[in-house]
Amino acid sequence: TVRKTILYMLVLAMVLSVFTILPISAGAVASVDMNIDYSPTSLVSEGRISLHISVSNNGDAIEQASIIVDGRTVANLGSVSSGETREWSDENYQITSSKLGQDILVETQFVYNGETQTVSRVINVAKKQPTINVEASVKADRTTVPRDGKVEFTFAIDNQGDTAIEDCTITAS
């Protein structure tokens, strides 16, 4: 019987050590994912992009969800149920010159079990080198000019590049 008592105590000690090593969890989890699409991904100078953000809740319900872009709250989503996806878009989101080539922080902030949590991503709108493609043309209103006759010329500049051209001058020699 002493052997049985020792054996029972060893088994009980092993069982208790398993429960001590492996904690038991309640199973409640916040699992929020954020996807971001933006276009164009590069600009020559400051301009506007199309920005689309989707927030998917793959865990338990969350509350007070919001989307924050570059430190500014752009959307208050409120409560988001389990399995629900919310979306926000801005077809004309302004990118300033100082933000070109810089990481822009995009966050989804929410409350889960009384704690504020954040999911973060970054976008980076690259600074693109300008493409300059200018063509100049000239047309005369006639091909033959009599003595002391006059010819009217029409000058045209066609800018096929992606950069505005200012103070353009045509010089003829």
Side-chain angles (χ1 to χ4, degrees):
T1 66
V2 172
R3 282 185 157 185
K4 284 185 178 180
T5 305
I6 293 174
L7 183 62
Y8 287 130
M9 291 178 87
L10 283 174
V11 170
L12 181 61
M14 288 173 39
V15 169
L16 289 175
S17 67
V18 167
F19 285 115
T20 305
I21 294 171
L22 301 173
I24 300 172
S25 66
V29 177
S31 178
V32 176
D33 192 30
M34 176 173 50
N35 292 308
I36 305 169
D37 291 314
Y38 61 101
S39 177
T41 58
S42 63
L43 294 170
V44 172
S45 61
E46 73 177 45
R48 299 187 183 281
I49 63 168
S50 173
L51 179 59
H52 180 82
I53 302 169
S54 65
V55 176
S56 299
N57 182 10
N58 303 310
D60 295 334
I62 60 174
E63 299 174 340
Q64 300 174 25
S66 60
I67 297 173
I68 303 163
V69 180
D70 199 25
R72 185 174 62 91
T73 301
V74 295
N76 289 310
L77 304 177
S79 297
V80 183
S81 301
S82 178
E84 186 178 4
T85 297
R86 297 279 184 90
E87 298 185 5
W88 174 84
S89 293
D90 186 344
E91 298 302 318
N92 292 298
Y93 187 81
Q94 179 69 35
I95 302 295
T96 61
S97 297
S98 64
K99 291 297 181 179
L100 288 175
Q102 303 295 318
D103 286 345
I104 299 170
L105 183 62
V106 179
E107 301 171 292
T108 295
Q109 197 171 75
F110 58 93
V111 174
Y112 176 71
N113 279 345
E115 291 183 28
T116 300
Q117 298 183 22
T118 304
V119 174
S120 301
R121 305 279 186 274
V122 295
I123 63 171
N124 189 314
V125 179
K127 182 168 176 64
K128 182 168 74 170
Q129 292 300 316
T131 303
I132 298 174
N133 183 3
V134 179
E135 292 183 15
S137 61
V138 64
K139 290 183 184 176
D141 67 342
R142 56 179 97 178
T143 56
T144 306
V145 182
R147 184 178 179 156
D148 293 331
K150 293 186 180 191
V151 177
E152 185 176 314
F153 291 97
T154 303
F155 296 91
I157 298 174
D158 186 21
N159 181 5
Q160 295 294 321
D162 58 10
T163 303
I165 297 187
E166 299 174 5
D167 301 324
C168 186
T169 303
I170 298 176
T171 304
S173 55

